[in-house]
Each structure stands twice: as C-alpha cells, then as structure tokens.
C-alpha cells in the first residue's frame, strides 16, 4: 500500500481528491487529507475506505512532520506562503513533494539540498502555472523539431464564469481563493514586446485593457501576469523579441477592477478600524473632492457618469451602502475580499470556465506563421468546478507517475520536459481538457 498525504481541502482540492480515491483501489493507495476544517475534509472524501481525514493546525511542526514521515508522497494545496513549511519537512523526512504554486525565493534556497537528497519537488503543477507550461513546451518543442524559428510567444489563461452563469455586472464569480483575486497584479508585471522590456505597476495593469479573440467566445480582455521574463530561460526562448504571459477576464471586469485600484481599495498594508465605518465612507476615503453624494463624488473622481457601468458594479459590491462594515481592524484589501467572497460567490448551479490560449509566431522555410492553440474547459457546478479540475488533475496524474516509478527526475522542477508533459497532457484529454490548433 502506498500512502499519499494531501495538505489542504479547499476549493481547488475537489477533483484531485476524486481522482486519487477513484484510482486508489487499483493502484493500492491510501490518502490522508490534512486541513484545519475536519467537516470540509469529510465533505470531500465522503465515506471512502481509502481516505483518512486529519484535523491539523498547519503551524504545529511536530504534528505536520509526523504525518509527512508516515507517507510516500506529499501534495500541498495550502496557501502559497505556507508551502515552505511543508517543503522543509519533506526535505528532513526525505519525501517527494508536488504543488500547484509558483516556485518562490524561499524554496529556491533549498534547491541544492533537494538535488543532493535525490528528491523531486515538482512545483507549478496545476493550471496556470502548470498546464500552461506543459502545453506551451509541447508546441515549442514540436515547432523547433521541424526547424521552425520562434520569434514571438504569448500565453493567456483565465478562470471565468461560464456564459450560462454570467449574470452580474462584474461578469465574474469566485471559483478559487478570493485572496489571490483581490491581490492579483499588486506587484505589477514585466514582459517583453518587440525587443523592449515593459514594466507596468499595479495602477497601470488593468488600464486600457487589451483584448484577444477566442474562438466560440468572442472578445476577452487580458493583463500581463507577474514576471514573464523569468520563464524565457525555462522555455529556452531567451532570444525572443516578444514574450508575455497574461491573465484573461471579460472586459467589464478589468474596467471595474481598475476603478477599485483608483479608489485605493486594494491596498493591503494599513489596518483601519471598521466598527463605526460605513461602506460608502470607506469607498470615498481617498476621494479628494467631496461636494455631492458618495455616488457623485466617486463618479467625478473616476471620470465616469453616475449612470455608468462602473457605478453599477460598485453598487453591486455594496460600496455605496450606508451599512456599517464592523469587521474589526482590517486592511482595505481584507474588506474588499469580504465583499468579493459574499457578492461574487458562485451559486450551487453556477458553472465556471477555464480558457487558455497560446499565440506563437514562427518562421519555417521562409514562411511566417502565426499559430493559436486554445483550450476551453467547463465546470459542472460550484463544487466540481473547471478550476478544481484543471488545478487538481495534473497533480493527481503526476502523483500516479511518481508512485508507479515512471519518473526518474530529481531536484526542484517545473513541468517543462517531455517525460512529464507527454503522459500528463495525454491523460488530461480523457477528462476533456484538450487543445485545438489553428494556423495562419
């Protein structure tokens, strides 16, 4: 019997748990799911004979290490800043680790020790990052093998609401960690376009959002994602004139989010007392001209009319209400997160949608070609989401490959090599996660 330990039973864990428990009888696996919320774990594992729920305070080093020592493979779906705790324990207990999160500077410091211990720490093994790396590398390697010279690479991905459930002025509902949504883009973005390195700060990111056409869906807006340049080396495309990774949203979302940034409502450093504070006073705190109603003041500050779509969006979130916030001491981002979680939550029958698209321009035999490769995945309801499926399944398939001894790789890695992306992408097609291609 092989033991798998999963840390975290949140929104993204559903499909991963389903996959591991479906495979458990045939593969002779046993799954332990550790989370602080025991009832949440049980709601995901049901009465499965192959699963053990473990209530855990993740900061309890001894309890954490004990669980890790007893397992064969660790998967972490914890909030990003907590992975380092698990990573250090895995190193001490000599266990392989899988996670869907970005490689962070803290784990980068352990790179040599991981390699020396002969362990595999596979990071960025989810959707974005994850499926984006695997599908992109498959295309890049295929073009290069045929003698093509790539000169532009753009990759887009977004967790959106399905058109059937798109019924609010934000054209958005929360299908994953709301904290990440509120802080998205807060560190700005860096990418390369036509030979020039472009740097955008948070305030510029959602402004004048650019759009792309997605077959069957029409126009979607995008904004550059974090530091694209760091991946040029990983993709072995250091010489490219254009290289960008970006996030997709419906255009209305970017316009509304830009307004929240201009109002200072995504700020996450200063705590304020909310015991007596109303939402409208909070929303107008940084508005300099206060000569009319909160609605008029905000409209004037943003340079829009009181009847505009943006004001409708702010009203929908409750920013113009006279209700008292009363959440104790919170940052602006904390208050905004509370509103987003409550006002933009998915209803039980709502379906989400994942859209991913790569646009690669290359030259072969003196002919310039632009290639589009895109994937659209639909969720089933607010628990079995496309987000949970596309984050969880790559981790599950990777776990299977490791436990079947089909992976010889060691060190701190992301999934850019054929021995990983070929079998994972192939099995993902069985779950309707597949790419269509077009050339011009």
């Amino acid at each position: 019997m092989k033991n798998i330990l999963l840390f975290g039973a949140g929104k993204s864990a559903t499909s991963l748990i389903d996959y591991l428990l479906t495979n458990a009888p045939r593969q002779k696996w046993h799954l332990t799911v550790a989370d602080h919320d025991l009832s949440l774990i049980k709601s995901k594992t049901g009465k499965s004979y192959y699963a053990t729920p473990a209530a855990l305070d993740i900061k309890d080093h001894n309890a954490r290490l004990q669980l890790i020592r007893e397992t064969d493979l660790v998967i972490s779906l914890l909030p990003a800043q907590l992975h380092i705790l698990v990573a250090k324990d895995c190193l001490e207990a000599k266990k392989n680790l899988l996670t869907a999160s970005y490689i962070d500077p803290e784990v980068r410091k352990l790179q040599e020790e991981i390699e020396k211990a002969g362990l595999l720490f596979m990071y960025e093994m989810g959707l974005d990052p994850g499926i984006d790396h695997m599908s992109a590398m498959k295309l890049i390697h295929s073009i290069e093998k045929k003698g093509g010279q790539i000169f532009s690479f753009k990759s887009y991905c977004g967790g959106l609401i399905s058109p059937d459930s798109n019924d609010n002025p934000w054209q958005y509902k929360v299908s994953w960690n709301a904290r990440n949504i509120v802080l998205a883009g807060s560190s700005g973005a860096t990418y390369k376009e036509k030979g020039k390195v472009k740097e955008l700060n948070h305030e510029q990111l959602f402004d004048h959002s650019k759009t792309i056409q997605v077959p069957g869906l029409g126009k979607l807006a995008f904004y550059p994602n974090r530091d694209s340049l760091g991946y040029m080396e990983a993709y072995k495309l250091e010489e490219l004139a254009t290289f960008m990774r970006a996030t997709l949203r419906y255009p209305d979302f970017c316009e509304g989010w830009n307004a929240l940034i201009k109002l200072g409502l995504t700020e996450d450093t200063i705590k304020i007392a909310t015991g007596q504070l109303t939402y409208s006073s909070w929303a107008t705190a940084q508005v300099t001209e206060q000569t009319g109603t909160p609605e008029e003041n905000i409209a004037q500050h943003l340079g829009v009319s009181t009847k505009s779509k943006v004001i409708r969006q702010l009203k929908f979130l409750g920013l113009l209400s006279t209700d008292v916030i009363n959440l104790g001491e919170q940052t602006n981002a904390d208050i905004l997160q509370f509103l987003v979680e409550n006002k933009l939550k998915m209803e039980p029958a709502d379906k989400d949608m994942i859209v991913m698209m790569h646009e690669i321009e290359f030259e072969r035999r003196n002919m310039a070609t632009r290639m589009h490769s895109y994937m659209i995945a639909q969720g089933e309801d607010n628990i079995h989401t496309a987000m949970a499926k596309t984050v969880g399944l790559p981790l599950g398939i990777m776990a299977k490959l490791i436990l079947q001894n089909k992976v010889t790789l060691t060190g701190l890695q992301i999934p850019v090599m054929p021995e990983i992306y070929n079998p994972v992408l192939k099995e993902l097609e069985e779950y309707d996660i597949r790419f269509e291609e077009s050339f011009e």
Side-chain angles (χ1 to χ4, degrees):
M1 202 71 159
K2 290 279 176 81
N3 293 306
I4 302 169
L5 171 60
L6 169 62
F7 285 107
K11 281 191 168 77
S12 299
T14 317
S15 296
L16 172 59
I17 292 171
D18 287 351
Y19 178 90
L20 295 174
L21 292 181
T22 303
N23 278 274
R26 195 169 61 252
Q27 301 291 341
K28 298 191 171 52
W29 292 343
H30 189 88
L31 172 66
T32 301
V33 183
D35 194 286
H36 65 91
D37 185 342
L38 198 58
S39 61
L40 179 65
I41 304 173
K42 288 177 174 170
S43 75
K44 308 260 167 128
T45 57
K47 292 191 166 61
S48 174
Y49 168 76
Y50 296 94
T52 302
L56 175 78
D57 170 4
I58 194 63
K59 302 269 170 73
D60 182 340
H61 171 73
N62 291 337
R64 209 175 55 228
L65 190 57
Q66 185 60 34
L67 283 172
I68 290 174
R69 285 193 201 283
E70 291 165 0
T71 197
D72 295 291
L73 175 66
V74 179
I75 306 175
S76 178
L77 279 177
L78 294 169
Q81 71 278 12
L82 296 174
H83 292 311
I84 191 64
L85 303 177
V86 175
K88 285 177 174 170
D89 290 349
C90 284
L91 197 52
E92 187 181 329
K94 301 268 189 288
K95 304 294 179 184
N96 293 324
L97 171 65
L98 302 180
T99 176
S101 289
Y102 287 98
I103 288 185
D104 58 75
E106 286 301 298
V107 80
R108 185 72 76 190
K109 291 176 192 161
L110 306 176
Q111 194 160 357
E112 248 175 70
E113 290 178 66
I114 298 164
E115 188 66 66
K116 212 178 279 174
L119 295 171
L120 173 59
F121 281 25
M122 181 62 81
Y123 271 60
E124 309 194 12
M125 192 67 213
L127 162 67
D128 169 11
I131 294 176
D132 55 349
H133 296 328
M134 293 186 279
S135 50
M137 289 314 295
K138 192 175 177 185
L139 296 172
I140 291 163
H141 287 156
S142 159
I143 290 166
E144 288 172 346
K145 205 179 268 180
K146 291 174 185 153
Q149 182 74 38
I150 298 170
F151 51 89
S152 169
F153 174 88
K154 295 175 186 170
S155 179
Y156 311 89
C157 182
L160 304 162
I161 197 71
S162 173
D164 309 345
S165 307
N166 190 357
D167 56 12
N168 71 48
W170 283 90
Q171 299 201 315
Y172 191 80
K173 289 183 185 178
V174 178
S175 63
W176 59 306
N177 186 335
R179 185 88 193 142
N180 294 354
I181 295 161
V182 169
L183 297 180
S186 54
S187 52
T190 310
Y191 61 102
K192 201 170 168 191
E193 192 170 39
K194 295 180 179 155
K196 290 201 171 104
V197 172
K198 302 275 180 100
E199 291 188 34
L200 300 179
N201 62 30
H202 193 203
E203 287 70 32
Q204 298 167 304
L205 213 50
F206 295 87
D207 207 11
H208 309 303
S209 53
K210 304 176 173 75
T211 60
I212 58 163
Q213 282 292 128
V214 179
L217 281 177
K219 204 179 276 186
L220 289 178
F222 67 86
Y223 61 90
N225 189 0
R226 298 183 179 229
D227 177 13
S228 294
L229 304 187
Y231 288 96
M232 293 180 78
E233 189 184 341
Y235 289 14
K236 298 199 168 37
L237 295 174
E238 294 95 331
E239 306 305 312
L240 253 55
T242 297
F243 189 98
M244 178 181 69
R245 289 160 47 83
T247 298
L248 292 174
R249 292 285 180 259
Y250 288 113
D252 287 4
F253 176 88
C254 288
E255 203 177 330
W257 204 260
N258 199 29
L260 295 176
I261 294 170
K262 280 185 178 161
L263 292 167
L265 304 183
T266 58
E267 204 282 325
D268 193 39
T269 51
I270 302 157
K271 292 207 165 190
I272 51 174
T274 64
Q276 308 293 314
L277 187 66
T278 66
Y279 282 106
S280 59
S281 309
W282 169 64
T284 53
Q286 292 196 25
V287 175
T288 42
E289 295 284 321
Q290 305 236 2
T291 50
T293 64
E295 191 173 328
E296 289 164 347
N297 295 337
I298 285 176
Q300 190 180 345
H301 182 76
L302 296 173
V304 298
S305 98
T306 51
K307 295 195 165 37
S308 70
K309 181 171 44 192
V310 168
I311 296 297
R312 249 194 354 265
Q313 288 174 315
L314 300 184
K315 274 185 180 163
F316 186 85
L317 275 187
L319 294 188
L320 297 170
S321 98
T322 52
D323 293 352
V324 176
I325 299 171
N326 199 18
L327 293 171
E329 284 219 333
Q330 303 288 353
T331 66
N332 284 352
D334 294 331
I335 301 167
L336 184 57
Q337 181 182 341
F338 173 78
L339 288 174
V340 164
E341 280 177 328
N342 286 284
K343 306 285 186 178
L344 299 180
K345 69 169 183 281
M346 285 177 70
E347 298 303 329
D350 277 341
K351 295 182 170 118
D352 71 326
M353 173 176 72
I354 298 295
V355 180
M356 185 177 284
M357 182 145 111
H358 304 299
E359 184 180 286
I360 302 179
E361 293 178 27
F362 62 97
E363 197 170 294
R364 183 170 164 243
R365 294 184 187 148
N366 294 330
M367 195 160 92
T369 303
R370 182 186 293 132
M371 166 198 224
H372 287 106
S373 174
Y374 68 95
M375 178 270 289
I376 300 171
Q378 299 274 359
E380 294 164 41
D381 53 41
N382 72 336
I383 303 291
H384 299 90
T385 59
M387 180 65 79
K389 192 160 106 167
T390 49
V391 170
L393 287 173
L395 286 166
I397 297 166
M398 186 69 202
K400 185 166 76 175
L401 292 171
I402 290 173
L403 293 173
Q404 290 178 338
N405 298 318
K406 289 185 177 168
V407 176
T408 54
L409 202 61
T410 57
L412 178 62
Q413 304 285 356
I414 63 171
V416 291
M417 54 291 289
E419 72 213 71
I420 304 300
Y421 68 64
N422 280 327
V424 176
L425 291 173
K426 189 169 180 235
E427 191 169 335
L428 283 174
E429 292 196 356
E430 295 171 27
Y431 296 88
D432 277 335
I433 299 169
R434 60 168 62 83
F435 285 79
E436 308 283 333
E437 286 165 16
S438 65
F439 296 86
E440 53 189 88

